[in-house]
Amino acid sequence: MAALPSLRRLLGHRRLLSAAATATPEAVIYSIHSLSSDPSRALASFRRSAAAGQPVGSTAYNLMLRTLASDPSSAQTHFWPFLREMHDAGHSVDQGTYLAALASFKKASLSADYAALTAHYNKSREEAKSGATSAAAQAVRDLDAADLDAKLGAIGLLPLTETAVAKMLRELRDYPTKGLAFFRWAGRQQGYRHGTVAYNAMAKVLGREESVPEFWDLIHEMKAAGMHVDIDTYVKLSRNFQKRHMIREAVELYEFMMDGPFKPSQKDGPHIIRRIALAPSPDLDLAKRVVTKFLAVWDKMTKELFDGIHRVLTSNGRFDEAVDLVQRMRAEGHQPDNVTYSQLVYGLCKADRLDDARKVFDEMEAEGCVPDLKTWTMLIQGHCAAGDVDRALHYLTEMIDKDLDADADLLDVMVKALCSHEKVDAAYTLFVEMVDKAQLRPWQGTYKRVIDELLRINKLDEALALLRSMKVRKFPPFTEPFPPYIAKHGTVEDARDFLKALTVNTMCPAPAAYVHVLKSFFAEKRYSEAQDLLYKCPIHIRKHPHVTELFESIKVESAS
């Protein structure tokens, strides 16, 4: 009996390979997707499919191009020749493929390839805008939804092929009702019949909140007709559901795919459970449904799956069950690590069991697992959320004493907590200590928060110091709150200090910065201060047309 799980996995793997060998568009896409970590083998599979006359459409081309882009070192050898071949076959690069390829080229510092791909993509988009498909899609968008079906036949749509229908549906992706009406109308036309390519294109359009019932009707219709959701469509739909917080739909789609021939990878189950765990009140039943399907296919629990369920349990305050799960994890050969303990710390803090959260650190060290930055961050963040900012600061100091450096995330957590408890001076001091002395590179948003809070309590000098710090560290300067604050509470000298803070070497700020300050003085009706500031501005600013126009408008207003 001990060999049974391995036998099941072997048989399951053979079923996947058998499904991928079947000559359907879904099978070709699945084969490429399965080999995406090995671009050379994926390309060989693509070539074999094309040579055997198997259906190779736009989705397969785009997936293959994304796979080739993941290995930028072979761009000249494979990526660009394949892109030319794709273009010659009449297929365009979709937005997802374009962005993925750009990211790969940027990471590899291939600036010439980055620029060339951008130019190609922009050119193809311009050509598409003037093409017949774009014109037909615009005609459909212009029709009223009420009588859309009756009028579709009169607008001179393209000759109906699956490729043309899929292109139309991509153009109608933001109009699910009209897209579905077009899809149904096309399916009734003589000489044309929807295939898997058109159905998958329609599924992508319907995968959103307002069309969930229609989406599932279409999915079941596909199944009844012997068609399948291809793996590329699944990945995009699942990602979209998770992004839109449609977690139930993501789980149901996962279950549907796991029952079919084109199963998601092992990483998908744990990833969905992690998304479930991120909810304010994680749905344990949904997480269990994912585990059930995962075990039915893979017949084993992975460390990532254990951690996902553990996080759902601890987030719901079900600590006894979480302890039992950790014991089971150990029994199956997976040792708890910083991820496991961090989740426990987070759950205990969320349940306001702060002392117990701190005790976890002693347990970790007894187990030989040294708390890392993430675990400390969970502890500190938990105390901040509970309002115990002083103890959070104490733990931050203890963490640094243990030679762990804070990161931008932890600094932002502490700054938010201190500011929310009216400890702006402490937030400023901590920020300066971390950034100037510890050389931590903060988030731009943290800079903005501290500047806003400093101005709120009339600490202009400190806020200006942070503005200069942003400039030194090459952040875009956060200038917006300064002119209105100075115009209301400050002096002409304060305004000059602000403008000096924006000076780079000997180059003055742009005229727009001066105009903003002057307008702010006018808004507060401090005309004399505005005039004094103008006299102290460089000559090119005093004579700038926008500045002259501003003062002329005030003269006209005063005269009237």
Side-chain angles (χ1 to χ4, degrees), residues 65-66 69-70 72 79 96-106 114 117:
L65 194 67
R66 283 202 299 277
S70 68
F79 180 87
T97 301
Y98 167 66
L99 294 175
L102 278 189
S104 294
F105 290 156
K106 183 177 181 179
Y114 186 102
L117 181 59

Side-chain angles (χ1 to χ4, degrees), residues 40-317:
S40 296
R41 289 182 64 200
L43 184 58
S45 174
F46 180 93
R47 297 287 186 224
R48 284 195 299 272
S49 297
Q54 294 177 0
V56 179
S58 178
T59 299
Y61 268 104
N62 272 282
L63 182 57
M64 189 65 248
L65 194 67
R66 283 202 299 277
T67 301
L68 293 173
S70 68
D71 181 19
S73 62
S74 63
Q76 299 304 322
T77 309
H78 297 301
F79 180 87
W80 290 109
F82 188 84
L83 178 58
R84 286 190 288 272
E85 176 186 329
M86 179 176 171
H87 182 264
D88 291 343
H91 301 294
S92 58
V93 179
D94 65 34
Q95 186 181 43
T97 301
Y98 167 66
L99 294 175
L102 278 189
S104 294
F105 290 156
K106 183 177 181 179
K107 186 177 180 181
S109 300
L110 298 176
S111 54
D113 295 279
Y114 186 102
L117 181 59
T118 300
H120 172 88
Y121 182 72
N122 290 339
K123 182 181 178 182
S124 63
R125 279 174 61 87
E126 288 302 317
E127 290 173 350
K129 286 179 183 178
S130 60
T133 302
S134 183
Q138 186 59 52
V140 173
R141 286 194 291 266
D142 289 341
L143 292 175
D144 292 331
D147 56 354
L148 185 70
D149 190 71
K151 293 183 178 179
L152 277 170
I155 63 175
L157 294 176
L158 301 168
L160 290 178
T161 64
E162 247 200 312
T163 300
V165 168
K167 285 183 178 180
M168 277 285 289
L169 291 171
R170 280 196 292 274
E171 292 274 349
L172 296 169
R173 59 186 174 273
D174 294 327
Y175 302 84
T177 301
K178 294 184 178 182
L180 184 58
F182 164 74
F183 180 83
R184 295 301 184 201
W185 172 86
R188 293 192 298 269
Q189 303 311 298
Q190 189 174 4
Y192 172 76
R193 182 180 179 184
H194 289 312
T196 184
V197 172
Y199 267 101
N200 274 276
M202 189 68 249
K204 291 174 188 172
V205 176
L206 293 175
R208 54 183 66 208
E209 298 93 327
E210 64 267 32
S211 51
V212 167
E214 293 82 359
F215 170 79
W216 285 113
D217 286 345
L218 185 86
I219 296 300
H220 295 309
E221 184 181 318
M222 289 176 69
K223 183 178 180 180
M227 298 181 212
H228 303 283
V229 176
D230 70 51
I231 195 67
D232 187 68
T233 299
Y234 162 75
V235 169
K236 289 176 179 175
L237 284 169
S238 184
R239 186 185 303 138
N240 190 46
F241 286 152
Q242 293 173 50
K243 181 180 177 181
R244 293 170 178 261
H245 306 289
M246 299 168 66
I247 303 301
R248 182 170 296 277
E249 286 74 19
V251 171
E252 290 174 356
L253 182 62
Y254 177 78
E255 291 175 317
F256 179 85
M257 293 297 290
M258 291 292 273
D259 286 338
F262 305 110
K263 304 183 190 302
S265 68
Q266 278 195 15
K267 67 181 181 180
D268 273 48
H271 181 76
I272 292 173
I273 291 178
R274 183 176 181 275
R275 295 295 303 209
I276 293 170
L278 291 174
S281 298
D283 190 324
L284 183 58
D285 288 337
L286 283 180
K288 287 179 177 178
R289 285 168 59 177
V290 174
V291 172
T292 298
K293 285 300 177 185
F294 187 94
L295 289 175
V297 172
W298 305 112
D299 206 26
K300 65 177 181 178
M301 287 284 287
T302 64
K303 171 66 165 54
E304 292 76 18
L305 203 64
F306 273 119
D307 280 335
I309 295 295
H310 183 258
R311 181 166 185 169
V312 173
L313 290 170
T314 54
S315 294
N316 278 310

Side-chain angles (χ1 to χ4, degrees), residues 479 482-484 486-487 492 495-504 506-522 529-544 546-548 550-551:
T479 61
F482 285 95
I486 292 169
V492 172
R496 294 185 71 196
D497 287 342
F498 165 66
L499 293 166
K500 285 177 185 175
L502 299 180
T503 301
V504 178
T506 58
M507 291 184 62
C508 295
Y514 289 90
V515 171
H516 192 184
V517 175
L518 291 168
K519 280 186 174 181
S520 297
F521 274 120
F522 286 160
E529 286 86 349
Q531 193 70 56
D532 289 344
L533 178 60
L534 180 66
Y535 288 146
K536 295 177 180 180
C537 288
I539 185 67
H540 74 279
I541 296 297
R542 295 203 299 270
K543 293 186 175 182
H544 193 278
H546 291 168
V547 174
T548 304
L550 180 63
F551 278 86

